[in-house]
Amino acid sequence: MRWPDSRPIGHELRSTAHKTWVRFHSLPESKRYAENNAEHREILTRHLTVLNDLSSSAGTPIDDLRVITLAWSGSAEPTQRDSELVSATSHAEYWQSLPYDLSDPDYPYWVHLYVGRTSVGTDELRSLLRLVADDRTSEVIFAPATATWLYHPYDGGGDVIAPDLATRDALKRRYAEWLSPHPLGL
């Protein structure tokens, strides 16, 4: 496995792959949510730009991406994902269930992972990115079949796990105005 120290849960990636991690914000001045169509277009443009550039830099096809989505529950038994998420990733199939937090036996949390295929430029991918941007789903991960890089969009931006430091640094230079002013890059 390319990322042996990471569970396939979006927000956990930066801590296990911190050396090649970089975060880009999806709106100017680190604004988190779009308030109009122009801002929604900007969010989509930034996500697609980073996905295209990351794929090009790594030499991976942009028309054959894997997408991981999930559902949460209080049981190890797989549960269905939200209907909007199913619509945006109609070909995703159940992959595995992982314990997320079992510290309270009365309220265990499990995550159920689904994997599908997508391509930049599809309506499904745009719909999925819109769900993420509007905080109607989370923990999405995009990757090429080789998993040489990972992209985790979130409501406010996107986390890149680049294949190497050179790619990470090139992306940081290219999109410096999209970086956070926070000292830790958050």
Side-chain angles (χ1 to χ4, degrees), residues 1-16 66-72 94-100 110-115 138-143 147 150-153 161:
M1 180 175 170
R2 173 82 167 105
W3 307 100
D5 297 329
S6 298
R7 296 190 313 170
I9 299 174
H11 76 272
E12 293 182 7
L13 297 173
R14 75 172 184 260
S15 62
T16 57
R66 301 307 179 269
V67 59
I68 300 171
T69 57
L70 55 80
W72 300 89
Y94 171 74
W95 174 28
Q96 65 177 317
S97 294
L98 300 171
Y100 185 74
W110 286 78
V111 63
H112 310 284
L113 301 153
Y114 293 79
V115 177
S138 62
E139 305 304 334
V140 173
I141 300 172
F142 293 100
L150 304 173
Y151 185 70
H152 164 55
I161 307 300

mmCIF file of all heavy atoms in Angstrom, residues 1-16 66-72 94-100 110-115 138-143 147 150-153 161:
data_model
loop_
_atom_site.group_PDB
_atom_site.id
_atom_site.type_symbol
_atom_site.label_atom_id
_atom_site.label_comp_id
_atom_site.label_asym_id
_atom_site.label_seq_id
_atom_site.Cartn_x
_atom_site.Cartn_y
_atom_site.Cartn_z
ATOM 1 N N MET A 1 0.819 -1.174 0.000
ATOM 2 C CA MET A 1 0.000 0.000 0.000
ATOM 3 C C MET A 1 0.873 1.252 0.000
ATOM 4 O O MET A 1 1.852 1.340 0.714
ATOM 5 C CB MET A 1 -0.906 -0.024 1.239
ATOM 6 C CG MET A 1 -1.799 1.155 1.354
ATOM 7 S SD MET A 1 -2.904 0.937 2.776
ATOM 8 C CE MET A 1 -3.571 2.559 2.824
ATOM 9 N N ARG A 2 0.506 2.234 -0.787
ATOM 10 C CA ARG A 2 1.297 3.465 -0.939
ATOM 11 C C ARG A 2 1.311 4.310 0.330
ATOM 12 O O ARG A 2 2.272 4.999 0.613
ATOM 13 C CB ARG A 2 0.716 4.256 -2.120
ATOM 14 C CG ARG A 2 1.303 5.619 -2.322
ATOM 15 C CD ARG A 2 2.618 5.558 -3.077
ATOM 16 N NE ARG A 2 2.992 6.882 -3.504
ATOM 17 C CZ ARG A 2 3.947 7.609 -2.932
ATOM 18 N NH1 ARG A 2 4.622 7.138 -1.937
ATOM 19 N NH2 ARG A 2 4.231 8.799 -3.381
ATOM 20 N N TRP A 3 0.255 4.295 1.110
ATOM 21 C CA TRP A 3 0.136 5.108 2.326
ATOM 22 C C TRP A 3 -0.092 4.186 3.529
ATOM 23 O O TRP A 3 -1.149 4.198 4.138
ATOM 24 C CB TRP A 3 -1.015 6.101 2.181
ATOM 25 C CG TRP A 3 -0.889 6.899 0.927
ATOM 26 C CD1 TRP A 3 -1.562 6.688 -0.239
ATOM 27 C CD2 TRP A 3 -0.011 7.985 0.682
ATOM 28 N NE1 TRP A 3 -1.156 7.589 -1.178
ATOM 29 C CE2 TRP A 3 -0.205 8.397 -0.649
ATOM 30 C CE3 TRP A 3 0.918 8.652 1.469
ATOM 31 C CZ2 TRP A 3 0.503 9.449 -1.214
ATOM 32 C CZ3 TRP A 3 1.616 9.698 0.894
ATOM 33 C CH2 TRP A 3 1.414 10.093 -0.414
ATOM 34 N N PRO A 4 0.896 3.386 3.923
ATOM 35 C CA PRO A 4 0.687 2.370 4.961
ATOM 36 C C PRO A 4 0.390 2.916 6.348
ATOM 37 O O PRO A 4 -0.181 2.217 7.172
ATOM 38 C CB PRO A 4 2.004 1.592 4.956
ATOM 39 C CG PRO A 4 3.013 2.570 4.453
ATOM 40 C CD PRO A 4 2.273 3.421 3.449
ATOM 41 N N ASP A 5 0.766 4.150 6.624
ATOM 42 C CA ASP A 5 0.537 4.703 7.954
ATOM 43 C C ASP A 5 -0.750 5.503 8.045
ATOM 44 O O ASP A 5 -1.008 6.145 9.055
ATOM 45 C CB ASP A 5 1.717 5.602 8.356
ATOM 46 C CG ASP A 5 3.014 4.812 8.453
ATOM 47 O OD1 ASP A 5 2.955 3.617 8.791
ATOM 48 O OD2 ASP A 5 4.071 5.390 8.162
ATOM 49 N N SER A 6 -1.546 5.489 6.989
ATOM 50 C CA SER A 6 -2.755 6.301 6.950
ATOM 51 C C SER A 6 -3.997 5.456 6.784
ATOM 52 O O SER A 6 -4.019 4.527 5.981
ATOM 53 C CB SER A 6 -2.703 7.265 5.764
ATOM 54 O OG SER A 6 -1.639 8.143 5.867
ATOM 55 N N ARG A 7 -5.018 5.815 7.535
ATOM 56 C CA ARG A 7 -6.333 5.267 7.239
ATOM 57 C C ARG A 7 -6.908 6.147 6.128
ATOM 58 O O ARG A 7 -6.593 7.337 6.062
ATOM 59 C CB ARG A 7 -7.230 5.302 8.474
ATOM 60 C CG ARG A 7 -6.726 4.443 9.596
ATOM 61 C CD ARG A 7 -7.698 4.272 10.724
ATOM 62 N NE ARG A 7 -8.323 5.507 11.185
ATOM 63 C CZ ARG A 7 -9.345 5.527 12.037
ATOM 64 N NH1 ARG A 7 -9.843 4.395 12.513
ATOM 65 N NH2 ARG A 7 -9.867 6.667 12.430
ATOM 66 N N PRO A 8 -7.758 5.611 5.281
ATOM 67 C CA PRO A 8 -8.318 6.420 4.197
ATOM 68 C C PRO A 8 -9.451 7.334 4.672
ATOM 69 O O PRO A 8 -10.592 7.248 4.228
ATOM 70 C CB PRO A 8 -8.798 5.369 3.196
ATOM 71 C CG PRO A 8 -9.074 4.159 4.019
ATOM 72 C CD PRO A 8 -8.118 4.209 5.175
ATOM 73 N N ILE A 9 -9.105 8.194 5.613
ATOM 74 C CA ILE A 9 -10.041 9.176 6.160
ATOM 75 C C ILE A 9 -9.395 10.535 5.944
ATOM 76 O O ILE A 9 -8.295 10.807 6.452
ATOM 77 C CB ILE A 9 -10.337 8.901 7.645
ATOM 78 C CG1 ILE A 9 -10.979 7.507 7.793
ATOM 79 C CG2 ILE A 9 -11.238 9.986 8.221
ATOM 80 C CD1 ILE A 9 -11.191 7.049 9.203
ATOM 81 N N GLY A 10 -10.067 11.377 5.179
ATOM 82 C CA GLY A 10 -9.496 12.621 4.690
ATOM 83 C C GLY A 10 -8.750 13.470 5.694
ATOM 84 O O GLY A 10 -7.594 13.828 5.476
ATOM 85 N N HIS A 11 -9.369 13.794 6.803
ATOM 86 C CA HIS A 11 -8.737 14.724 7.736
ATOM 87 C C HIS A 11 -7.530 14.127 8.466
ATOM 88 O O HIS A 11 -6.738 14.854 9.051
ATOM 89 C CB HIS A 11 -9.760 15.274 8.757
ATOM 90 C CG HIS A 11 -10.119 14.316 9.834
ATOM 91 N ND1 HIS A 11 -11.148 13.411 9.705
ATOM 92 C CD2 HIS A 11 -9.572 14.117 11.061
ATOM 93 C CE1 HIS A 11 -11.220 12.697 10.816
ATOM 94 N NE2 HIS A 11 -10.287 13.099 11.650
ATOM 95 N N GLU A 12 -7.346 12.828 8.415
ATOM 96 C CA GLU A 12 -6.212 12.190 9.080
ATOM 97 C C GLU A 12 -4.951 12.204 8.217
ATOM 98 O O GLU A 12 -3.854 11.982 8.722
ATOM 99 C CB GLU A 12 -6.553 10.747 9.450
ATOM 100 C CG GLU A 12 -7.627 10.629 10.506
ATOM 101 C CD GLU A 12 -7.926 9.188 10.888
ATOM 102 O OE1 GLU A 12 -7.218 8.257 10.436
ATOM 103 O OE2 GLU A 12 -8.868 8.987 11.666
ATOM 104 N N LEU A 13 -5.099 12.463 6.937
ATOM 105 C CA LEU A 13 -3.969 12.336 6.020
ATOM 106 C C LEU A 13 -2.824 13.293 6.324
ATOM 107 O O LEU A 13 -1.659 12.923 6.238
ATOM 108 C CB LEU A 13 -4.441 12.544 4.574
ATOM 109 C CG LEU A 13 -5.436 11.510 4.057
ATOM 110 C CD1 LEU A 13 -5.951 11.928 2.690
ATOM 111 C CD2 LEU A 13 -4.813 10.130 4.012
ATOM 112 N N ARG A 14 -3.156 14.542 6.672
ATOM 113 C CA ARG A 14 -2.085 15.519 6.861
ATOM 114 C C ARG A 14 -1.166 15.163 8.024
ATOM 115 O O ARG A 14 0.001 15.526 8.027
ATOM 116 C CB ARG A 14 -2.641 16.930 6.995
ATOM 117 C CG ARG A 14 -3.279 17.252 8.295
ATOM 118 C CD ARG A 14 -3.621 18.747 8.368
ATOM 119 N NE ARG A 14 -4.143 19.069 9.661
ATOM 120 C CZ ARG A 14 -5.422 19.200 9.948
ATOM 121 N NH1 ARG A 14 -6.318 19.042 8.998
ATOM 122 N NH2 ARG A 14 -5.811 19.497 11.160
ATOM 123 N N SER A 15 -1.669 14.442 9.014
ATOM 124 C CA SER A 15 -0.814 14.106 10.153
ATOM 125 C C SER A 15 0.105 12.922 9.845
ATOM 126 O O SER A 15 1.188 12.826 10.411
ATOM 127 C CB SER A 15 -1.648 13.822 11.396
ATOM 128 O OG SER A 15 -2.491 12.718 11.185
ATOM 129 N N THR A 16 -0.302 12.049 8.954
ATOM 130 C CA THR A 16 0.546 10.894 8.641
ATOM 131 C C THR A 16 1.434 11.118 7.422
ATOM 132 O O THR A 16 2.401 10.403 7.235
ATOM 133 C CB THR A 16 -0.305 9.625 8.422
ATOM 134 O OG1 THR A 16 -1.234 9.875 7.387
ATOM 135 C CG2 THR A 16 -1.027 9.227 9.695
ATOM 136 N N ARG A 66 -9.827 7.613 -8.663
ATOM 137 C CA ARG A 66 -10.598 6.904 -7.659
ATOM 138 C C ARG A 66 -11.130 7.955 -6.689
ATOM 139 O O ARG A 66 -10.453 8.943 -6.410
ATOM 140 C CB ARG A 66 -9.756 5.891 -6.889
ATOM 141 C CG ARG A 66 -9.105 4.808 -7.743
ATOM 142 C CD ARG A 66 -10.117 4.080 -8.616
ATOM 143 N NE ARG A 66 -9.514 3.056 -9.443
ATOM 144 C CZ ARG A 66 -9.049 3.218 -10.670
ATOM 145 N NH1 ARG A 66 -9.070 4.415 -11.224
ATOM 146 N NH2 ARG A 66 -8.556 2.218 -11.353
ATOM 147 N N VAL A 67 -12.312 7.723 -6.198
ATOM 148 C CA VAL A 67 -12.896 8.620 -5.217
ATOM 149 C C VAL A 67 -13.423 7.789 -4.056
ATOM 150 O O VAL A 67 -14.126 6.805 -4.254
ATOM 151 C CB VAL A 67 -13.992 9.530 -5.823
ATOM 152 C CG1 VAL A 67 -15.118 8.727 -6.429
ATOM 153 C CG2 VAL A 67 -14.533 10.506 -4.789
ATOM 154 N N ILE A 68 -13.007 8.171 -2.864
ATOM 155 C CA ILE A 68 -13.459 7.502 -1.645
ATOM 156 C C ILE A 68 -14.460 8.427 -0.959
ATOM 157 O O ILE A 68 -14.176 9.607 -0.743
ATOM 158 C CB ILE A 68 -12.285 7.201 -0.700
ATOM 159 C CG1 ILE A 68 -11.262 6.283 -1.373
ATOM 160 C CG2 ILE A 68 -12.790 6.581 0.604
ATOM 161 C CD1 ILE A 68 -9.969 6.116 -0.596
ATOM 162 N N THR A 69 -15.615 7.877 -0.660
ATOM 163 C CA THR A 69 -16.627 8.594 0.111
ATOM 164 C C THR A 69 -17.023 7.692 1.280
ATOM 165 O O THR A 69 -16.645 6.521 1.321
ATOM 166 C CB THR A 69 -17.866 8.934 -0.746
ATOM 167 O OG1 THR A 69 -18.399 7.729 -1.294
ATOM 168 C CG2 THR A 69 -17.494 9.899 -1.873
ATOM 169 N N LEU A 70 -17.799 8.235 2.211
ATOM 170 C CA LEU A 70 -18.101 7.409 3.375
ATOM 171 C C LEU A 70 -19.455 7.708 3.985
ATOM 172 O O LEU A 70 -20.110 8.685 3.655
ATOM 173 C CB LEU A 70 -16.997 7.549 4.426
ATOM 174 C CG LEU A 70 -16.639 8.947 4.920
ATOM 175 C CD1 LEU A 70 -17.609 9.443 5.957
ATOM 176 C CD2 LEU A 70 -15.249 8.916 5.488
ATOM 177 N N ALA A 71 -19.815 6.815 4.877
ATOM 178 C CA ALA A 71 -21.004 6.968 5.715
ATOM 179 C C ALA A 71 -20.574 6.641 7.140
ATOM 180 O O ALA A 71 -19.667 5.835 7.357
ATOM 181 C CB ALA A 71 -22.108 6.020 5.269
ATOM 182 N N TRP A 72 -21.216 7.271 8.112
ATOM 183 C CA TRP A 72 -20.932 7.043 9.526
ATOM 184 C C TRP A 72 -22.084 6.260 10.146
ATOM 185 O O TRP A 72 -23.219 6.406 9.728
ATOM 186 C CB TRP A 72 -20.832 8.373 10.278
ATOM 187 C CG TRP A 72 -19.779 9.290 9.790
ATOM 188 C CD1 TRP A 72 -19.911 10.230 8.806
ATOM 189 C CD2 TRP A 72 -18.440 9.388 10.241
ATOM 190 N NE1 TRP A 72 -18.736 10.903 8.629
ATOM 191 C CE2 TRP A 72 -17.813 10.403 9.496
ATOM 192 C CE3 TRP A 72 -17.704 8.707 11.208
ATOM 193 C CZ2 TRP A 72 -16.489 10.771 9.701
ATOM 194 C CZ3 TRP A 72 -16.387 9.066 11.403
ATOM 195 C CH2 TRP A 72 -15.783 10.090 10.652
ATOM 196 N N TYR A 94 -19.276 -0.423 -1.958
ATOM 197 C CA TYR A 94 -18.789 -0.593 -0.600
ATOM 198 C C TYR A 94 -17.403 -1.234 -0.625
ATOM 199 O O TYR A 94 -17.164 -2.201 -1.358
ATOM 200 C CB TYR A 94 -19.765 -1.458 0.208
ATOM 201 C CG TYR A 94 -19.229 -1.848 1.558
ATOM 202 C CD1 TYR A 94 -19.164 -0.922 2.590
ATOM 203 C CD2 TYR A 94 -18.752 -3.133 1.787
ATOM 204 C CE1 TYR A 94 -18.649 -1.274 3.829
ATOM 205 C CE2 TYR A 94 -18.237 -3.490 3.025
ATOM 206 C CZ TYR A 94 -18.185 -2.560 4.031
ATOM 207 O OH TYR A 94 -17.665 -2.917 5.248
ATOM 208 N N TRP A 95 -16.492 -0.702 0.180
ATOM 209 C CA TRP A 95 -15.121 -1.203 0.234
ATOM 210 C C TRP A 95 -14.834 -1.852 1.587
ATOM 211 O O TRP A 95 -14.473 -3.017 1.666
ATOM 212 C CB TRP A 95 -14.158 -0.055 -0.048
ATOM 213 C CG TRP A 95 -12.700 -0.367 0.095
ATOM 214 C CD1 TRP A 95 -12.081 -1.574 -0.070
ATOM 215 C CD2 TRP A 95 -11.673 0.555 0.427
ATOM 216 N NE1 TRP A 95 -10.728 -1.460 0.130
ATOM 217 C CE2 TRP A 95 -10.453 -0.154 0.436
ATOM 218 C CE3 TRP A 95 -11.668 1.911 0.715
ATOM 219 C CZ2 TRP A 95 -9.236 0.459 0.724
ATOM 220 C CZ3 TRP A 95 -10.450 2.514 0.991
ATOM 221 C CH2 TRP A 95 -9.248 1.785 0.993
ATOM 222 N N GLN A 96 -14.980 -1.093 2.659
ATOM 223 C CA GLN A 96 -14.666 -1.633 3.981
ATOM 224 C C GLN A 96 -15.236 -0.732 5.066
ATOM 225 O O GLN A 96 -15.588 0.413 4.816
ATOM 226 C CB GLN A 96 -13.152 -1.769 4.170
ATOM 227 C CG GLN A 96 -12.402 -0.443 4.166
ATOM 228 C CD GLN A 96 -10.913 -0.633 4.437
ATOM 229 O OE1 GLN A 96 -10.517 -1.410 5.312
ATOM 230 N NE2 GLN A 96 -10.085 0.086 3.688
ATOM 231 N N SER A 97 -15.313 -1.287 6.276
ATOM 232 C CA SER A 97 -15.725 -0.529 7.450
ATOM 233 C C SER A 97 -14.565 -0.503 8.434
ATOM 234 O O SER A 97 -13.857 -1.500 8.595
ATOM 235 C CB SER A 97 -16.940 -1.175 8.113
ATOM 236 O OG SER A 97 -18.051 -1.106 7.266
ATOM 237 N N LEU A 98 -14.389 0.655 9.075
ATOM 238 C CA LEU A 98 -13.309 0.818 10.040
ATOM 239 C C LEU A 98 -13.860 1.402 11.335
ATOM 240 O O LEU A 98 -14.721 2.276 11.297
ATOM 241 C CB LEU A 98 -12.249 1.791 9.496
ATOM 242 C CG LEU A 98 -11.550 1.432 8.208
ATOM 243 C CD1 LEU A 98 -10.707 2.605 7.727
ATOM 244 C CD2 LEU A 98 -10.688 0.202 8.400
ATOM 245 N N PRO A 99 -13.350 0.949 12.460
ATOM 246 C CA PRO A 99 -13.748 1.597 13.706
ATOM 247 C C PRO A 99 -13.165 3.008 13.714
ATOM 248 O O PRO A 99 -12.008 3.208 13.362
ATOM 249 C CB PRO A 99 -13.116 0.733 14.788
ATOM 250 C CG PRO A 99 -12.003 0.012 14.112
ATOM 251 C CD PRO A 99 -12.384 -0.121 12.667
ATOM 252 N N TYR A 100 -13.970 3.974 14.082
ATOM 253 C CA TYR A 100 -13.495 5.345 14.138
ATOM 254 C C TYR A 100 -13.224 5.764 15.582
ATOM 255 O O TYR A 100 -12.165 6.255 15.898
ATOM 256 C CB TYR A 100 -14.492 6.297 13.464
ATOM 257 C CG TYR A 100 -13.971 7.701 13.396
ATOM 258 C CD1 TYR A 100 -12.972 8.018 12.484
ATOM 259 C CD2 TYR A 100 -14.429 8.674 14.255
ATOM 260 C CE1 TYR A 100 -12.448 9.303 12.430
ATOM 261 C CE2 TYR A 100 -13.917 9.959 14.206
ATOM 262 C CZ TYR A 100 -12.928 10.274 13.296
ATOM 263 O OH TYR A 100 -12.411 11.535 13.244
ATOM 264 N N TRP A 110 -18.402 4.169 13.696
ATOM 265 C CA TRP A 110 -17.768 3.426 12.619
ATOM 266 C C TRP A 110 -17.850 4.252 11.347
ATOM 267 O O TRP A 110 -18.784 5.029 11.155
ATOM 268 C CB TRP A 110 -18.479 2.092 12.389
ATOM 269 C CG TRP A 110 -18.174 1.102 13.475
ATOM 270 C CD1 TRP A 110 -18.713 1.055 14.725
ATOM 271 C CD2 TRP A 110 -17.244 0.037 13.407
ATOM 272 N NE1 TRP A 110 -18.190 0.021 15.446
ATOM 273 C CE2 TRP A 110 -17.278 -0.629 14.651
ATOM 274 C CE3 TRP A 110 -16.398 -0.445 12.420
ATOM 275 C CZ2 TRP A 110 -16.491 -1.730 14.931
ATOM 276 C CZ3 TRP A 110 -15.616 -1.547 12.694
ATOM 277 C CH2 TRP A 110 -15.668 -2.174 13.939
ATOM 278 N N VAL A 111 -16.887 4.058 10.471
ATOM 279 C CA VAL A 111 -16.887 4.708 9.168
ATOM 280 C C VAL A 111 -16.942 3.602 8.113
ATOM 281 O O VAL A 111 -16.251 2.586 8.223
ATOM 282 C CB VAL A 111 -15.663 5.635 8.996
ATOM 283 C CG1 VAL A 111 -14.367 4.883 9.044
ATOM 284 C CG2 VAL A 111 -15.766 6.436 7.733
ATOM 285 N N HIS A 112 -17.820 3.796 7.134
ATOM 286 C CA HIS A 112 -18.018 2.811 6.063
ATOM 287 C C HIS A 112 -17.580 3.462 4.756
ATOM 288 O O HIS A 112 -18.145 4.476 4.340
ATOM 289 C CB HIS A 112 -19.480 2.377 6.014
ATOM 290 C CG HIS A 112 -19.988 1.983 7.366
ATOM 291 N ND1 HIS A 112 -19.656 0.778 7.957
ATOM 292 C CD2 HIS A 112 -20.746 2.650 8.276
ATOM 293 C CE1 HIS A 112 -20.213 0.722 9.152
ATOM 294 N NE2 HIS A 112 -20.878 1.846 9.369
ATOM 295 N N LEU A 113 -16.563 2.891 4.144
ATOM 296 C CA LEU A 113 -15.931 3.489 2.972
ATOM 297 C C LEU A 113 -16.467 2.887 1.680
ATOM 298 O O LEU A 113 -16.646 1.661 1.577
ATOM 299 C CB LEU A 113 -14.423 3.284 3.048
ATOM 300 C CG LEU A 113 -13.780 3.897 4.292
ATOM 301 C CD1 LEU A 113 -12.524 3.159 4.657
ATOM 302 C CD2 LEU A 113 -13.521 5.359 4.072
ATOM 303 N N TYR A 114 -16.657 3.773 0.707
ATOM 304 C CA TYR A 114 -17.126 3.402 -0.629
ATOM 305 C C TYR A 114 -16.127 3.951 -1.638
ATOM 306 O O TYR A 114 -15.630 5.067 -1.478
ATOM 307 C CB TYR A 114 -18.513 3.990 -0.897
ATOM 308 C CG TYR A 114 -19.577 3.384 -0.021
ATOM 309 C CD1 TYR A 114 -19.739 3.779 1.299
ATOM 310 C CD2 TYR A 114 -20.415 2.389 -0.515
ATOM 311 C CE1 TYR A 114 -20.701 3.209 2.110
ATOM 312 C CE2 TYR A 114 -21.390 1.812 0.289
ATOM 313 C CZ TYR A 114 -21.518 2.233 1.607
ATOM 314 O OH TYR A 114 -22.478 1.661 2.407
ATOM 315 N N VAL A 115 -15.822 3.161 -2.661
ATOM 316 C CA VAL A 115 -14.866 3.590 -3.688
ATOM 317 C C VAL A 115 -15.543 3.550 -5.048
ATOM 318 O O VAL A 115 -16.243 2.598 -5.378
ATOM 319 C CB VAL A 115 -13.613 2.682 -3.707
ATOM 320 C CG1 VAL A 115 -12.664 3.091 -4.822
ATOM 321 C CG2 VAL A 115 -12.912 2.718 -2.373
ATOM 322 N N SER A 138 -18.334 15.091 3.746
ATOM 323 C CA SER A 138 -16.939 15.334 4.137
ATOM 324 C C SER A 138 -16.124 14.067 3.949
ATOM 325 O O SER A 138 -16.657 13.005 3.630
ATOM 326 C CB SER A 138 -16.879 15.795 5.600
ATOM 327 O OG SER A 138 -17.374 14.779 6.446
ATOM 328 N N GLU A 139 -14.844 14.216 4.176
ATOM 329 C CA GLU A 139 -13.884 13.110 4.170
ATOM 330 C C GLU A 139 -13.687 12.471 2.787
ATOM 331 O O GLU A 139 -13.253 11.325 2.675
ATOM 332 C CB GLU A 139 -14.246 12.042 5.205
ATOM 333 C CG GLU A 139 -14.410 12.572 6.608
ATOM 334 C CD GLU A 139 -13.195 13.324 7.139
ATOM 335 O OE1 GLU A 139 -12.061 13.077 6.700
ATOM 336 O OE2 GLU A 139 -13.399 14.178 8.020
ATOM 337 N N VAL A 140 -13.992 13.184 1.728
ATOM 338 C CA VAL A 140 -13.803 12.694 0.360
ATOM 339 C C VAL A 140 -12.310 12.690 0.041
ATOM 340 O O VAL A 140 -11.577 13.590 0.444
ATOM 341 C CB VAL A 140 -14.567 13.591 -0.635
ATOM 342 C CG1 VAL A 140 -14.255 13.227 -2.075
ATOM 343 C CG2 VAL A 140 -16.066 13.527 -0.358
ATOM 344 N N ILE A 141 -11.872 11.676 -0.685
ATOM 345 C CA ILE A 141 -10.480 11.595 -1.134
ATOM 346 C C ILE A 141 -10.476 11.220 -2.607
ATOM 347 O O ILE A 141 -11.150 10.271 -3.013
ATOM 348 C CB ILE A 141 -9.669 10.536 -0.351
ATOM 349 C CG1 ILE A 141 -9.647 10.861 1.137
ATOM 350 C CG2 ILE A 141 -8.247 10.419 -0.913
ATOM 351 C CD1 ILE A 141 -9.036 9.756 1.993
ATOM 352 N N PHE A 142 -9.684 11.955 -3.394
ATOM 353 C CA PHE A 142 -9.446 11.615 -4.799
ATOM 354 C C PHE A 142 -8.014 11.127 -4.928
ATOM 355 O O PHE A 142 -7.116 11.631 -4.249
ATOM 356 C CB PHE A 142 -9.597 12.843 -5.700
ATOM 357 C CG PHE A 142 -10.993 13.386 -5.772
ATOM 358 C CD1 PHE A 142 -11.357 14.492 -5.022
ATOM 359 C CD2 PHE A 142 -11.932 12.795 -6.599
ATOM 360 C CE1 PHE A 142 -12.641 15.003 -5.085
ATOM 361 C CE2 PHE A 142 -13.223 13.298 -6.664
ATOM 362 C CZ PHE A 142 -13.578 14.397 -5.906
ATOM 363 N N ALA A 143 -7.793 10.165 -5.827
ATOM 364 C CA ALA A 143 -6.448 9.647 -6.078
ATOM 365 C C ALA A 143 -6.417 8.989 -7.451
ATOM 366 O O ALA A 143 -7.443 8.490 -7.923
ATOM 367 C CB ALA A 143 -6.055 8.610 -5.023
ATOM 368 N N ALA A 147 -2.368 5.701 -6.678
ATOM 369 C CA ALA A 147 -2.349 6.350 -5.363
ATOM 370 C C ALA A 147 -1.023 7.062 -5.084
ATOM 371 O O ALA A 147 -0.584 7.146 -3.949
ATOM 372 C CB ALA A 147 -2.692 5.366 -4.252
ATOM 373 N N LEU A 150 -2.749 12.177 -3.279
ATOM 374 C CA LEU A 150 -4.107 12.185 -2.737
ATOM 375 C C LEU A 150 -4.590 13.625 -2.668
ATOM 376 O O LEU A 150 -3.798 14.543 -2.427
ATOM 377 C CB LEU A 150 -4.131 11.588 -1.329
ATOM 378 C CG LEU A 150 -3.567 10.173 -1.167
ATOM 379 C CD1 LEU A 150 -3.514 9.793 0.313
ATOM 380 C CD2 LEU A 150 -4.384 9.169 -1.945
ATOM 381 N N TYR A 151 -5.887 13.803 -2.874
ATOM 382 C CA TYR A 151 -6.489 15.133 -2.752
ATOM 383 C C TYR A 151 -7.749 15.011 -1.916
ATOM 384 O O TYR A 151 -8.639 14.226 -2.235
ATOM 385 C CB TYR A 151 -6.823 15.709 -4.136
ATOM 386 C CG TYR A 151 -7.327 17.135 -4.067
ATOM 387 C CD1 TYR A 151 -6.468 18.173 -3.722
ATOM 388 C CD2 TYR A 151 -8.650 17.435 -4.339
ATOM 389 C CE1 TYR A 151 -6.915 19.483 -3.651
ATOM 390 C CE2 TYR A 151 -9.110 18.750 -4.272
ATOM 391 C CZ TYR A 151 -8.237 19.767 -3.927
ATOM 392 O OH TYR A 151 -8.694 21.059 -3.850
ATOM 393 N N HIS A 152 -7.788 15.776 -0.833
ATOM 394 C CA HIS A 152 -8.907 15.753 0.096
ATOM 395 C C HIS A 152 -9.564 17.132 0.136
ATOM 396 O O HIS A 152 -9.095 18.028 0.839
ATOM 397 C CB HIS A 152 -8.412 15.351 1.487
ATOM 398 C CG HIS A 152 -9.365 15.655 2.597
ATOM 399 N ND1 HIS A 152 -10.666 15.200 2.609
ATOM 400 C CD2 HIS A 152 -9.219 16.384 3.726
ATOM 401 C CE1 HIS A 152 -11.267 15.645 3.713
ATOM 402 N NE2 HIS A 152 -10.408 16.377 4.404
ATOM 403 N N PRO A 153 -10.649 17.322 -0.651
ATOM 404 C CA PRO A 153 -11.345 18.602 -0.564
ATOM 405 C C PRO A 153 -12.137 18.673 0.735
ATOM 406 O O PRO A 153 -12.593 17.654 1.253
ATOM 407 C CB PRO A 153 -12.283 18.570 -1.776
ATOM 408 C CG PRO A 153 -12.550 17.120 -2.008
ATOM 409 C CD PRO A 153 -11.285 16.404 -1.591
ATOM 410 N N ILE A 161 -1.745 15.678 -0.740
ATOM 411 C CA ILE A 161 -0.624 14.837 -0.331
ATOM 412 C C ILE A 161 0.111 14.549 -1.639
ATOM 413 O O ILE A 161 -0.312 13.722 -2.446
ATOM 414 C CB ILE A 161 -1.076 13.519 0.343
ATOM 415 C CG1 ILE A 161 -2.048 13.792 1.501
ATOM 416 C CG2 ILE A 161 0.141 12.725 0.786
ATOM 417 C CD1 ILE A 161 -1.507 14.637 2.621
#
